[in-house]
Every structure is written in C-alpha cells, then in structure tokens.
Amino acid sequence: MPVEWQPVRQSRTHELVLQSIEERVFSGELRAGDRLPPERELAPVLGVSRSALREALRVLETIGVLVAQPGRGPDAGARIVRNPDDALGRLLRLHFALGSYSLEDVLEARVVLERSSFEAAARHASAEDLDEAEALVARMGEPGVGVAEFNDLDTRFHVHVARSSGNELTSTLTSAVRESVRPLILRALEEAEDWPATAAALDAEHAELLDLVRAGQGAKAADLVEKHIRSLHGTLVDGNSGHE
C-alpha cells in the first residue's frame, strides 16, 4: 500500500515534518529500505517549502535513520536506514566533550556493557564470530603496528565481541561508549613510555579474553574485561584529571 502523506502546520515547520515522518515509522508505514518521495513531490504534499523539508531530512540523516543520495537515477533520493552506531557514537562523543558526562560515567557504563557482552558472547558467539575476533587480535600483535592502527583494531575487537553476544542494543551502546573515548585512549597510548611493551601487554589480555570466551567461561571473561577496562581508564584519569 502506498504511504498517504498529509499537509502539516506551518509553525516550526521542519519539526512538524520530522513528526510526520516519525509517525509513519512508528505505525509501520515506513520501514528500513523504503524510499521517500522526491523533494519536489513530498514538499507540496506536506505543504512545506523544500528548504524546510531538507532541514528535517538532514536531522534524520544525522541521527542515523535516513541516508540521502544526491543526483538522479534509481539510487538517488532519501532512504530509511538503520545505522544507529555512528550516530550514537558521534552524539555521545560530543556530549562527553561538552562535559555532559564525566570520564567516570563512561568508565562505569563500559564496565557494565562489556561485562554483559563478554559473558553473553561466551554462550552465544559462533565459531565464525570468534575466528574474526582472533584475526583482530593477531593483527594487533603484528610487529610494527602503530598506535592509531592498534586503537582502531582494539575498538573493533571490543565492538565485535559485543555484536557476537546476540544483543544488538548492547552492541550499539558498546560501540557508542567506546567511540566516545577513542581520542582519549589514543592519546594515552601515544604517551606510553614503551609502546611495544604496552601493545604486547594489551594484546595478551585480548588473547586471554578470547580464550575464555571460546571456552565458555563467561564469568571469568567478564571479570577480566572489567580489569582490562579499569586499568586503561586509570591511565586516562591520570592524564585527564581536569576533564569533567
């Protein structure tokens, strides 16, 4: 059934456009993968200017529920998507930088989320999931891996384990929280007095975590990941004692 669009009120126009689109998502009329009508068609149907419509679409793109492809052709236009990881990570990173959350808040959130994800991964992760995690650990352990690449692989390892836990929300929140402190973790790693030794120690813990998950020892994996996180965050606190 085609979606029926109705005109919206002119006051605070872009917010009313957002409301109109949200209502159709909530009702199930719009689903991930659906395309919105072209701007030239949708704007007059809603009774708004194309600039107001574009403003609403930009908001939806920012929060990760819409992607806009410019140009002409079958792939052009705005499409409903499900992409919460990047959007939540960006939002949380900004709020952390603005002081909405303290470093201690982020630490405790990471501990809760990753204890849960590692324990669940020990029950639910597939052999393929664990093989992919092992490949990340192996790459982190290669000679000559730089700090930035290690930080990227480290992030991917923790997020991958969260995804293998079987809980999509835990995965998304883990990704967002980890991304919010990525710059601080990178800075702490860059300031390590002996980077090769630091990288080796961190990767040894990653390997041990993976072994525990493979063995189905979720409780031990949860305890170790908490120790792993608190140890690294202790370094961040020492270097950022004034951040609130």
Side-chain angles (χ1 to χ4, degrees):
M1 295 289 292
V3 176
E4 294 185 5
W5 301 93
Q6 301 294 329
V8 299
R9 299 189 305 277
Q10 287 292 323
S11 59
R12 303 180 69 181
T13 310
H14 83 280
E15 292 186 4
L16 293 170
V17 174
L18 281 172
Q19 181 181 338
S20 178
I21 294 174
E22 287 172 356
E23 287 173 353
R24 281 153 180 80
V25 172
F26 295 150
S27 70
E29 295 177 73
L30 285 175
R31 297 180 174 86
D34 288 348
R35 292 188 180 278
L36 300 184
E39 287 181 8
R40 65 181 180 278
E41 296 178 14
L42 185 55
V45 170
L46 292 174
V48 301
S49 67
R50 291 178 68 170
S51 62
L53 176 60
R54 288 192 196 106
E55 187 174 358
L57 297 183
R58 279 195 294 269
V59 172
L60 291 171
E61 192 166 16
T62 299
I63 63 177
V65 297
L66 180 144
V67 61
Q69 182 69 37
R72 300 176 178 272
D75 294 328
R79 179 168 51 87
I80 302 295
V81 297
R82 291 178 294 193
N83 185 27
D85 288 22
D86 291 345
L88 283 177
R90 181 168 54 247
L91 179 63
L92 189 56
R93 188 164 58 248
L94 284 170
H95 276 287
F96 176 62
L98 290 169
S100 302
Y101 308 109
S102 69
L103 191 56
E104 187 66 22
D105 291 336
V106 177
L107 164 63
E108 295 305 326
R110 275 201 73 190
V111 166
V112 170
L113 287 166
E114 297 214 33
R115 282 189 65 93
S116 172
S117 63
F118 273 81
E119 191 164 7
R123 298 192 303 271
H124 301 298
S126 67
E128 182 180 0
D129 287 331
L130 298 178
D131 288 345
E132 291 179 15
E134 186 172 7
L136 293 171
V137 172
R139 288 176 61 186
M140 278 185 275
E142 292 176 356
V145 172
V147 177
E149 183 181 3
F150 187 97
N151 190 35
D152 178 61
L153 292 167
D154 185 7
T155 300
R156 289 168 59 189
F157 171 77
H158 285 270
V159 172
H160 183 76
V161 171
R163 286 182 177 147
S164 72
S165 71
N167 188 316
E168 290 296 329
L169 182 55
T170 296
S171 166
T172 295
L173 293 174
T174 297
S175 177
V177 170
R178 179 60 174 79
E179 283 293 333
S180 72
V181 291
R182 178 196 281 260
L184 289 182
I185 292 176
L186 178 60
R187 190 183 313 153
L189 296 179
E190 287 174 337
E191 294 173 354
E193 293 184 3
D194 186 344
W195 165 243
T198 299
L202 289 172
D203 203 39
E205 287 192 345
H206 293 143
E208 186 177 355
L209 282 166
L210 186 56
D211 287 344
L212 290 171
V213 171
R214 280 192 185 277
Q217 298 186 44
K220 289 185 177 180
D223 289 342
L224 180 58
V225 80
E226 178 171 354
K227 176 184 173 184
H228 178 77
I229 292 169
R230 290 190 184 281
S231 176
L232 182 56
H233 272 260
T235 304
L236 300 183
V237 170
D238 290 341
N240 298 272
S241 56
H243 183 97
E244 288 295 339

